[in-house]
Amino acid sequence: MGEPASLDPHKISGKWENDVVGDLFEGLITEAIDGTRIPGAAESWEISNDGTEYTFTLRSDAKWSDGEPVTADDFVFAFQRILDPATAANYAYLLYPIKNAEAVYAGEVDTSALGVKAIDATTLQITLERSTPYFLDQLSHYTAYPLPRHVVEEHGNEWSRPGNMVSNGAFQLEDWQSQTRITATRNPNFHDADAVALDEVVYFPIEERNTALNRFRAGEIDIAREFPTQQYKWLQENLPEAVQVAPYLGIYYYVFNAEMAMRPLIRVFVKHLA
């Protein structure tokens, strides 16, 4: 993984950052070990017949790592913050299925017009622009995590630094030494803390894949998310039990500069077609 740009769920856009933030926070919905959808911070939900209104009931034992309760207002605050154009969140568009979300992000209407409201402390209602079958799965993404309003309002942009951050996931931030390590410890206030097997997780920002592989082979790290592709055959032969390759859903794009060297080729190609 690389060095995270931030641990604020609204300020990140990388898989390596999600490795950390996903351990620190929990959304309304989360995923089981096999990837299936299961309740997270919400214990249950109801969907209107037309598929546009979702009503979530939060867990009564949902707490932040400082012991404060996780409330529906924390979710309202988080959704409004990520869609506020002042936040400039790269992935805000993922929440566009929510009513008025795109207009809020464009600055056309106030954040209060967003289709997310707290009915009471443990009841959250989300209204969509139209029926969106994948919306529940979308809520497990970090763009839909709650934020501790009381902490963000106290510390501002510094709220996600060690000593300030509180979270509602299985782990809590303990330390962050830039370009060296990030340490998270088990969150005793997590609603399923007894089922968390690890007491501590240490993340090492290693940019170079060969370095990660060498440290893995030396027993210095337990998991390396990526390995040098040119060594895949060697790894299959020598570390078959350690190497795991699975399908990955992603989007890649290539940008071609057609302004200079490519221009004559384009002209010839067009002429030939004519």
Side-chain angles (χ1 to χ4, degrees):
M1 60 175 279
E3 175 75 6
S6 174
L7 295 181
D8 181 335
H10 298 170
K11 303 290 186 179
I12 63 176
S13 58
K15 175 66 175 67
W16 56 93
E17 295 157 332
N18 182 44
D19 288 341
V20 183
V21 173
D23 287 342
L24 299 176
F25 292 88
E26 181 180 67
L28 294 163
I29 309 294
T30 190
E31 296 176 344
I33 192 171
D34 60 356
T36 56
R37 180 197 309 151
I38 59 175
E43 64 181 10
S44 63
W45 53 87
E46 296 179 358
I47 306 173
S48 63
N49 291 333
D50 64 359
T52 63
E53 191 171 275
Y54 290 67
T55 304
F56 297 89
T57 300
L58 303 187
R59 297 178 180 275
S60 59
D61 57 351
K63 295 181 180 180
W64 294 106
S65 53
D66 62 356
E68 289 294 315
V70 176
T71 68
D73 186 60
D74 288 321
F75 280 94
V76 174
F77 172 75
F79 279 106
Q80 290 182 349
R81 180 177 182 265
I82 192 172
L83 286 159
D84 187 332
T87 303
N90 288 333
Y91 278 176
Y93 68 88
L94 294 178
L95 298 174
Y96 279 2
I98 300 175
K99 186 176 181 180
N100 292 327
E102 188 168 4
V104 169
Y105 192 68
E108 297 171 356
V109 297
D110 188 74
T111 56
S112 60
L114 187 65
V116 181
K117 65 178 181 179
I119 304 301
D120 55 42
T122 60
T123 308
L124 179 74
Q125 187 178 82
I126 301 178
T127 304
L128 307 185
E129 292 281 359
R130 60 193 64 85
S131 178
T132 306
Y134 63 83
F135 184 67
L136 279 178
D137 294 316
Q138 180 64 51
L139 293 178
S140 64
H141 191 260
Y142 55 76
T143 49
Y145 288 164
L147 294 187
R149 182 169 189 165
H150 62 292
V151 175
V152 177
E153 291 184 341
E154 179 181 357
H155 297 288
N157 290 331
E158 297 298 313
W159 79 271
S160 59
R161 304 301 300 175
N164 295 340
M165 174 185 274
V166 302
S167 56
N168 73 319
F171 294 89
Q172 58 187 351
L173 181 62
E174 189 71 25
D175 186 35
W176 181 3
Q177 299 176 34
S178 181
Q179 299 295 335
T180 303
R181 63 167 57 194
I182 297 171
T183 304
T185 56
R186 183 165 55 163
N187 175 12
N189 287 307
F190 181 55
H191 62 82
D192 200 20
D194 291 341
V196 178
L198 302 176
D199 292 325
E200 180 182 79
V201 181
V202 181
Y203 313 85
F204 296 96
I206 305 173
E207 302 281 355
E208 221 285 318
R209 294 180 181 181
N210 282 300
T211 301
L213 176 57
N214 291 337
R215 294 190 66 175
F216 176 80
R217 293 181 61 194
E220 296 177 4
I221 59 176
D222 297 310
I223 299 173
R225 293 292 192 186
E226 297 179 345
F227 54 80
T229 54
Q230 66 270 25
Q231 295 196 40
Y232 180 46
K233 184 176 180 180
W234 184 91
L235 289 168
Q236 282 185 308
E237 294 173 352
N238 294 275
L239 296 173
E241 295 182 357
V243 179
Q244 303 292 324
V245 179
Y248 178 77
L249 178 61
I251 298 175
Y252 297 83
Y253 65 92
Y254 297 88
V255 179
F256 295 95
N257 184 350
E259 290 299 314
M260 300 192 59
M262 290 292 290
R263 186 179 298 169
L265 296 177
I266 294 174
R267 287 176 177 170
V268 171
F269 182 62
V270 173
K271 184 177 181 180
H272 178 71
L273 288 177

